[in-house]
């Protein structure tokens, strides 16, 4: 990505897909959206920020479709490097939007670098 000489940011949208073996199960998660939450943590907020997320039927964060902001961090030491921890939790009772509630179904760390 090219930024202006005065710095700046670039927005983008993302959608995550989940698979069980080779079968996509994202639609099943979306169908029971009040029971699941996808969370993104640990990124370097000097160069990557989560702006927004889709909501479930009760108006609480779901996290399958997200919008992000990539920031020009030329003045920082990270050089656009970082990682994001992605988790999918199932909450049998009432979901309250907390990332660590319920049963962890999926967890992964994704490395990123932007220029």
């Amino acid at each position: 990505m090219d930024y202006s000489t005065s710095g700046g940011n670039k927005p983008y949208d993302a959608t995550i897909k989940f698979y069980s073996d080779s079968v996509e199960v994202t639609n099943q998660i979306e169908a029971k959206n009040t029971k699941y939450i996808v969370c993104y943590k640990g990124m370097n907020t000097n160069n990557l920020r989560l702006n927004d997320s889709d909501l479930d039927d009760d108006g609480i964060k779901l996290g399958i479709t997200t919008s992000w902001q990539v920031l020009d961090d030329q003045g920082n030491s990270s050089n656009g490097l970082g990682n994001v921890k992605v988790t999918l939790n199932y909450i049998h009772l009432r979901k309250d939007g907390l990332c660590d509630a319920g049963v962890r179904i999926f967890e992964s760390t994704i490395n990123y670098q932007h220029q």
Side-chain angles (χ1 to χ4, degrees):
M1 290 185 183
D2 293 327
Y3 297 94
S4 68
T5 56
S6 63
N9 61 69
K10 303 281 183 177
Y12 69 94
D13 296 325
T15 300
I16 191 166
K17 304 274 185 193
F18 291 97
Y19 292 83
S20 177
D21 298 319
S22 61
V23 177
E24 185 180 346
V25 295
T26 310
N27 289 339
Q28 295 171 15
I29 294 167
E30 290 175 316
K32 295 183 179 184
N33 60 36
T34 60
K35 301 290 185 183
Y36 289 95
I37 187 167
V38 181
C39 293
Y40 305 86
K41 303 192 264 187
M43 63 286 239
N44 182 344
T45 57
N46 288 326
N47 62 33
L48 181 66
R49 294 184 187 152
L50 178 63
N51 284 339
D52 203 4
S53 170
D54 58 340
L55 304 176
D56 68 13
D57 291 341
D58 293 332
I60 299 173
K61 177 183 167 184
L62 176 57
I64 289 177
T65 302
T66 52
S67 65
W68 296 80
Q69 184 178 31
V70 176
L71 292 93
D72 178 9
D73 69 344
Q74 293 177 7
N76 297 315
S77 61
S78 70
N79 295 321
L81 295 171
N83 57 59
V84 178
K85 181 179 178 182
V86 181
T87 60
L88 171 65
N89 285 18
Y90 175 80
I91 298 100
H92 177 68
L93 300 173
R94 186 172 185 267
K95 184 169 87 173
D96 59 8
L98 297 177
C99 288
D100 294 322
V103 177
R104 178 83 28 99
I105 303 296
F106 172 83
E107 179 177 319
S108 182
T109 300
I110 301 169
N111 298 319
Y112 67 85
Q113 178 179 9
H114 65 82
Q115 300 176 6

